Amino acid sequence: MQTFSEENYLKAIFHLSGTDKKPVSTNALAEKMKTKASSATDMVKRLSEKNLVEHTPYQGVTLTESGIRSAVQIIRKHRLWEVFLVDKLEFKWDEVHDLAEELEHINSPILAERLDAFLGYPKTDPHGDPIPDKHGNFEEYKMFSLNKLNKAETGIITGVSEHSTAFLKHLEKLGLTLGKNIEIVDILEFDGSIELKIDGTHQTVSREISKHILISK
């Protein structure tokens, strides 16, 4: 059984390692956890002693199979709680991340299974991120960042890669929420800003914002 802090580190390593499971440096891990490199190193040693990570000096940290299973279950609970908070308690999508950070540490597999069933076995959370099933399997979704589309291409907003409150509030203000159909009207050569058509209106988003809006064609 892991502590809350250990679970947070496992989740951070999982996210940083990406789909190719690349090693994560302790400096990158410390930055992600907003702590000192020495603190991250100490935690890596603890996780290694529990056979949850493998650490190769000067190469980085990777999760063991046991570490991956633990991380995925934490992510599963987090995303299920986000769905519950939005769908059942009517929180907005920019209000649920911190609450789910607390709820994800409830150590009750049967609670997670009943929550999943109660919600109707959702496939994605309110931000479009896939929810792994009870076996830890993620359903494959092909999504592209908005800045990868060309003029006149269309798509549906199906996710975001930035979950900060400020970013999500900004998207909501612009009407760029999940499920909206968009069309690329123009891409400004000067700064890469993108003019969109959405719900019959035009919006312009910066290149930086477009990197974090995920689209399905």
Side-chain angles (χ1 to χ4, degrees), residues 3-191:
T3 65
F4 288 6
S5 182
E6 289 170 346
E7 289 185 342
N8 287 334
Y9 269 87
L10 291 174
K11 187 173 65 169
I13 296 169
F14 183 89
H15 286 311
L16 288 170
S17 64
T19 55
D20 55 358
K21 304 294 187 292
K22 63 183 179 182
V24 176
S25 72
T26 51
N27 284 336
L29 185 56
E31 184 178 351
K32 176 77 170 177
M33 298 302 297
K34 299 179 180 177
T35 189
K36 296 181 295 185
S38 58
S39 298
T41 299
D42 289 342
M43 177 58 76
V44 166
K45 289 179 181 177
R46 285 169 55 184
L47 295 174
S48 180
E49 290 169 357
K50 292 187 175 184
N51 195 36
L52 294 168
V53 304
E54 292 180 353
H55 180 223
T56 304
Y58 308 109
Q59 293 188 29
V61 183
T62 55
L63 294 173
T64 63
E65 288 300 317
S66 178
I68 291 172
R69 286 195 299 271
S70 294
V72 169
Q73 288 308 311
I74 299 161
I75 291 166
R76 168 175 162 77
K77 289 185 288 182
H78 181 101
R79 294 178 180 175
L80 284 172
W81 282 118
E82 286 194 336
V83 175
F84 175 78
L85 291 166
V86 170
D87 288 2
K88 304 302 179 182
L89 299 186
E90 299 182 353
F91 281 87
K92 293 182 178 180
W93 70 336
D94 60 279
E95 298 175 322
V96 296
H97 180 75
D98 289 345
L99 289 170
E101 286 278 315
E102 300 291 329
L103 293 165
E104 71 187 23
H105 297 296
I106 298 174
N107 185 29
S108 174
I110 191 169
L111 175 60
E113 297 316 306
R114 291 187 178 181
L115 180 62
D116 194 16
F118 176 68
L119 296 171
Y121 305 101
K123 299 297 184 184
T124 59
D125 72 9
H127 309 110
D129 294 318
I131 300 174
D133 64 21
K134 64 181 180 181
H135 303 297
N137 300 311
F138 288 85
E139 191 165 322
E140 291 287 337
Y141 290 94
K142 282 197 174 182
M143 294 189 285
F144 310 83
S145 57
L146 177 59
N147 68 318
K148 300 297 183 183
L149 300 186
N150 298 311
K151 186 176 179 178
E153 285 193 294
T154 61
I156 300 172
I157 300 175
T158 48
V160 292
S161 59
E162 166 63 58
H163 295 172
S164 69
T165 298
F167 180 75
L168 296 175
K169 281 185 174 179
H170 184 63
L171 290 190
E172 191 160 342
K173 182 179 179 181
L174 296 176
L176 299 175
T177 51
L178 299 192
K180 291 294 183 72
N181 291 283
I182 60 99
E183 178 184 348
I184 307 296
V185 177
D186 197 11
I187 301 173
L188 303 185
E189 185 177 347
F190 173 66
D191 62 358

Side-chain angles (χ1 to χ4, degrees), residues 147 186-195 204-208 210:
N147 68 318
D186 197 11
I187 301 173
L188 303 185
E189 185 177 347
F190 173 66
D191 62 358
S193 296
I194 298 176
E195 184 182 351
T204 299
V205 297
S206 69
R207 177 167 53 187
E208 186 61 30
S210 70

